[in-house]
Amino acid sequence: MTSPAQVRQDFWLWRLVATGMAFTMFGVGGVLLRLMVFPPQRLLPGDRQDRQRRARWALNGTFRLFIRFMVRVGILTVEFKGADRLGRPGQMILANHPSLLDVVFLVGHVKNANCIVKHGLATNPFTRGPVANAGYITNDESFDMFDRAADVLRNGETLIVFPEGTRTPPDAMPQFHRGACAIALRGAQVVTPVVIRMNPRSLTKGEPWYRIPPSRMRYVIEVGEDIDPATWSQAHPLPIAGRKMNAYLHAYFEAKLAPQAPQGAPMNAPPPTAAQVESTLDESTGT
């Protein structure tokens, strides 16, 4: 017997066809950008930064159209709260990563943003053109990568980071690597958390595109209050500051993504203060 939660709803068969269309469009779009959009852009006058800016504008517009298509054909709905506070100079946008589409949502809503992406995207034939032309930073986990990411923040760019490094497993909380905090403490003027919630979960790591959920995916993306990295960098040496900031971010996202918060409802759970997290961390480690 099929449980009520597994009953296929929202024109399931059409959503399956539309999802296949969307994935085809995404792949073909990446190739067309690489072959037909970026080469003419490179012929226009300007330096490397101008070329990257034009490529990011093209990606921003393309992703906006892609999101609009997915909404119009009924694959998903999305509510983006506070997007107008994204895109400031020296701002690190730090988000959890529940699905394959998270990068699309953020790049499609933040003009001229840099982004740390998986190293494999730089060699994938469908994505290497956009990654290279936009000047995105590939996550090879080297010290050079940390330096480059900190430099773009110090130079006034906006940087999108998914500190998990991969998509969140189903029924799990985000687990952040400390590298994002190391970058923020070295170069960010401000860190802005972005909490991404979706129901039902889909497009997780290793899940094929055709295994669509029984009902339409619903995204709620909420921009949180700014976090000042100096809260930790001025009080502690860099390694300790990174550990304490990472603990704070874990507590913040766990509070926002707590299971008792209904999907799609306003996220009113108050985030912990830095002092509360540090007190708990100090008690558990004896520091």
Side-chain angles (χ1 to χ4, degrees), residues 133-265:
N133 284 273
Y136 290 160
I137 300 169
T138 57
N139 184 9
D140 54 12
E141 297 184 350
S142 67
F143 287 110
D144 181 59
M145 185 273 290
F146 292 132
D147 291 339
R148 283 183 286 125
D151 284 343
V152 302
L153 287 165
R154 285 192 290 262
N155 291 335
E157 294 187 34
T158 303
L159 181 65
I160 299 171
V161 180
F162 296 93
E164 294 170 87
T166 187
R167 279 165 271 174
T168 314
D171 302 318
M173 283 291 181
Q175 295 296 318
F176 296 158
H177 298 292
R178 294 184 191 173
C181 292
I183 294 168
L185 292 168
R186 286 175 170 85
Q189 295 184 25
V190 66
V191 174
T192 305
V194 175
V195 180
I196 302 174
R197 304 173 77 190
M198 67 175 300
N199 180 43
R201 286 293 302 275
S202 185
L203 299 177
T204 56
K205 189 174 180 62
E207 186 176 21
W209 68 265
Y210 51 82
R211 191 176 296 165
I212 66 171
S215 60
R216 185 180 294 116
M217 293 181 292
R218 290 172 170 81
Y219 284 85
V220 178
I221 305 173
E222 184 165 346
V223 179
E225 295 299 321
D226 292 340
I227 298 169
D228 186 359
T231 302
W232 295 275
S233 63
Q234 293 180 359
H236 308 283
L238 195 59
I240 297 176
R243 179 167 60 90
K244 290 182 178 290
M245 183 177 179
N246 198 54
Y248 171 82
L249 291 170
H250 269 134
Y252 180 95
F253 276 85
E254 286 179 2
K256 293 294 187 180
L257 296 168
Q260 63 268 24
Q263 292 286 352

Side-chain angles (χ1 to χ4, degrees), residues 38 41 44-61 110-114 130 132-136 155-157:
F38 297 142
Q41 283 186 342
L44 297 174
D47 57 15
R48 181 176 61 87
Q49 290 184 339
D50 292 324
R51 292 192 294 272
Q52 288 180 353
R53 189 179 302 111
R54 288 191 287 263
R56 292 173 188 175
W57 285 342
L59 284 174
N60 175 265
V110 187
K111 294 181 179 179
N112 195 31
N114 205 325
N133 284 273
Y136 290 160
N155 291 335
E157 294 187 34

Side-chain angles (χ1 to χ4, degrees), residues 10-193:
D10 300 330
F11 305 99
W12 184 89
L13 184 58
W14 165 247
R15 287 191 293 109
L16 177 63
V17 174
T19 301
M21 294 167 56
F23 270 81
T24 302
M25 288 175 56
F26 189 87
V28 172
V31 174
L32 291 178
L33 283 170
R34 178 185 174 191
L35 298 179
M36 302 181 64
V37 176
F38 297 142
Q41 283 186 342
R42 289 196 293 269
L43 298 177
L44 297 174
D47 57 15
R48 181 176 61 87
Q49 290 184 339
D50 292 324
R51 292 192 294 272
Q52 288 180 353
R53 189 179 302 111
R54 288 191 287 263
R56 292 173 188 175
W57 285 342
L59 284 174
N60 175 265
T62 301
F63 283 175
R64 278 182 174 270
L65 290 175
F66 185 61
I67 295 168
R68 188 174 302 172
F69 169 81
M70 291 188 291
V71 171
R72 291 286 178 87
V73 299
I75 295 174
L76 55 84
T77 65
V78 58
E79 182 180 5
F80 208 128
K81 303 177 181 180
D84 57 312
R85 294 194 288 109
L86 301 179
R88 288 169 281 162
Q91 179 186 42
M92 175 187 280
I93 300 170
L94 191 147
N96 61 309
H97 196 5
S99 81
L100 182 65
L101 296 175
D102 306 326
V103 176
V104 174
F105 288 127
L106 289 182
V107 172
H109 280 83
V110 187
K111 294 181 179 179
N112 195 31
N114 205 325
C115 187
I116 297 180
V117 298
K118 288 198 308 182
H119 185 69
L121 295 180
T123 57
N124 185 302
F126 298 108
T127 57
R128 66 184 183 186
V131 169
N133 284 273
Y136 290 160
I137 300 169
T138 57
N139 184 9
D140 54 12
E141 297 184 350
S142 67
F143 287 110
D144 181 59
M145 185 273 290
F146 292 132
D147 291 339
R148 283 183 286 125
D151 284 343
V152 302
L153 287 165
R154 285 192 290 262
N155 291 335
E157 294 187 34
T158 303
L159 181 65
I160 299 171
V161 180
F162 296 93
E164 294 170 87
T166 187
R167 279 165 271 174
T168 314
D171 302 318
M173 283 291 181
Q175 295 296 318
F176 296 158
H177 298 292
R178 294 184 191 173
C181 292
I183 294 168
L185 292 168
R186 286 175 170 85
Q189 295 184 25
V190 66
V191 174
T192 305

